[in-house]
Amino acid sequence: MSDNDPVRGDYSDYQELVDEVSALLGAPATLEDRDFRLIAFCAHDSDASAMDPIRTRSILTRGSTAEVRAWFEGFGIARAQAPVRIPADPEAGIRARICLPVRHRGVVYGYVWLLDDGRARPLGAAMAVAARIGTLLAAEARAGADLGLELQALITGPRERREAAEYVLRAALGRSADGPFTLVCVTPWDTADTDEDSDALPDVRGVPGAAALCTVRDDGLAALIRLRSADVVTPARTAASRLLESVRARGAAAGVGEVRRGLAELADAWREASGAARAAHAQPRLGPVAEWSNIGPYRLLTGLPTGTDRTVVALLQPAHAELAHTAEVFLDCAGQAGRAAAALAIHRQTLYYRLSRVERLTGLDLDEGEDRLLLHMALKAAKL
């Protein structure tokens, strides 16, 4: 099973059905999901006429570009109930195609493709096979949603519910349930801002290494990511980047929790992932994908109670935005006036004047270490 395979379902089922379509139509066929990610393809002979650059790229990279997707969707394939013939575009190197929409109960789950050489083919029989593929993909989508509910319970539910959720996930994951995992959080997440249906999560198949996805109220989207090694979190960063590509909300950021073995400590991994995502959202230099181990003092700040500390309430009013920024830069520069003035591109006397106003607004003495610490923490925490 590859990192892109679903937790449930069998790749060989799809392969057999694609081979069946190919045999019926007498032409090599490929199967892609509704996001144009390759699921299965039949053998192609050495004849160059069986390929074009689009198909070659799909097979080699297991996906297509946004431009290719827009081209084909422009022919109405997402709404079609019957085969769609798509003309060639010689200038772009695109050969004519026949698209068989893969649907189940009116919902499109993918597409079967074959290059069109103009010959008559039994497309009705091939559509019957496509419907069987749609049934499999729909069942897989439901299974992924079920696992998402268990993941949600495991990271946010009461103890008794967490134990039941761990049992279900362990049964679904099989031997990999004891392997290394981490959690990815993407925030903000609103399904209305994605390319998916408003009531749907992204397809687990399209998120590298993902075993389950769910949304967590007020915190964002959670993705349970399987790792090959506890020392390499690259798959989690890749998954986070893929999820960020699918959300249209401006300023979205992602966080990655520490690696855990097994499922028992995933609630802690979620706290870390959501904290890292909040830090990346508040401090762009940490993102767009931040790892819990790399966010420094934000590991403490994300654990503080929500709400603005009273010392900075007045300072954070819109009318004092320049003063708040000045104070934060000064404290980021370890209280070194020369560095802070240079970073702000202002005269040192201007810096001192602004800092004196900050002291009057907050009641703090910036010559005192603890007051500086309190102000620094309050300003950073306010961004979270």
Side-chain angles (χ1 to χ4, degrees):
M1 180 176 288
S2 73
D3 284 344
N4 286 331
D5 288 332
V7 173
R8 299 180 185 175
D10 188 341
Y11 169 81
S12 64
D13 292 339
Y14 297 114
Q15 187 62 59
E16 290 174 3
L17 290 168
V18 170
D19 288 341
E20 185 175 342
V21 171
S22 181
L24 277 170
L25 300 181
T30 61
L31 170 63
E32 296 177 335
D33 68 14
R34 61 184 174 185
D35 291 320
F36 286 65
R37 290 182 288 262
L38 187 69
I39 298 174
F41 63 95
C42 66
H44 289 62
D45 59 31
S46 58
D47 183 0
S49 66
M51 302 284 281
D52 70 354
I54 302 302
R55 174 161 289 190
T56 300
R57 185 187 190 283
S58 175
I59 291 174
L60 293 179
T61 67
R62 304 193 71 82
S64 298
T65 65
E67 292 76 17
V68 167
R69 174 175 176 171
W71 163 262
F72 288 125
E73 287 181 337
F75 293 93
I77 61 174
R79 300 181 300 276
Q81 304 289 331
V84 178
R85 292 185 180 273
I86 298 174
D89 183 355
E91 291 186 4
I94 300 176
R95 291 186 53 193
R97 277 171 167 72
I98 298 176
C99 174
L100 308 180
V102 175
R103 310 184 76 90
H104 181 73
R105 295 185 177 177
V107 177
V108 64
Y109 285 93
Y111 308 99
V112 173
W113 300 92
L114 65 148
L115 300 180
D116 186 10
D117 58 8
R119 289 188 295 168
R121 302 180 189 277
L123 297 181
M127 282 297 292
V129 181
R132 288 156 56 196
I133 297 174
T135 300
L136 279 180
L137 288 173
E140 185 177 294
R142 288 194 299 272
D146 290 343
L147 288 187
L149 292 174
E150 300 306 322
L151 175 61
Q152 185 183 68
L154 184 60
I155 61 181
T156 65
R159 182 174 62 84
E160 296 80 4
R161 183 66 180 92
R162 290 200 304 270
E163 291 175 353
E166 181 179 347
Y167 177 84
V168 173
L169 280 168
R170 178 173 291 279
L173 293 170
R175 288 178 298 176
S176 67
D178 292 320
F181 290 94
T182 190
L183 279 166
V184 165
C185 171
V186 177
T187 187
W189 183 272
D190 183 348
T191 52
D193 290 329
T194 72
D195 292 329
E196 304 293 332
D197 299 332
S198 61
D199 60 349
L201 290 168
D203 187 347
V204 172
R205 184 191 301 278
V207 184
L213 303 172
C214 71
T215 54
V216 179
R217 186 175 182 179
D218 299 329
D219 283 332
L221 178 132
L224 176 61
I225 307 298
R226 293 169 293 184
L227 303 174
R228 296 188 182 280
S229 168
D231 300 324
V232 180
V233 297
T234 303
R237 295 188 63 88
T238 301
S241 297
R242 184 72 58 83
L243 287 165
L244 285 174
E245 290 173 0
S246 69
V247 66
R248 295 174 181 170
R250 291 189 176 184
V256 179
E258 294 279 83
V259 177
R260 298 303 199 283
R261 283 220 169 257
L263 306 173
E265 298 180 357
L266 289 185
D268 291 333
W270 172 247
R271 175 182 56 80
E272 296 164 354
S274 59
R278 289 171 58 207
H281 191 262
Q283 187 60 267
R285 67 176 175 81
L286 296 173
V289 179
E291 296 176 33
W292 174 257
S293 59
N294 295 333
I295 63 173
Y298 282 96
R299 292 199 295 270
L300 296 177
L301 294 172
T302 56
L304 295 175
T306 57
T308 302
D309 190 272
R310 62 179 180 81
T311 58
V312 296
V313 169
L315 183 60
L316 291 178
Q317 296 302 310
H320 301 309
E322 185 178 63
L323 293 180
H325 179 61
T326 297
E328 185 174 7
V329 171
F330 172 70
L331 294 167
D332 285 345
C333 291
Q336 298 179 25
R339 283 179 57 200
L344 292 164
I346 60 176
H347 193 276
R348 188 177 298 200
Q349 290 303 317
T350 302
L351 173 66
Y352 290 143
Y353 170 70
R354 291 182 184 177
L355 293 177
S356 67
R357 292 186 62 196
V358 169
E359 289 181 321
R360 289 197 296 273
L361 281 168
T362 62
L364 299 173
D365 182 354
L366 295 184
D367 287 332
E368 294 294 329
E370 289 190 358
D371 282 5
R372 286 190 184 187
L373 177 61
L374 175 59
L375 179 59
H376 207 183
M377 292 178 63
L379 286 171
K380 296 295 187 185
K383 289 186 174 181
L384 295 173

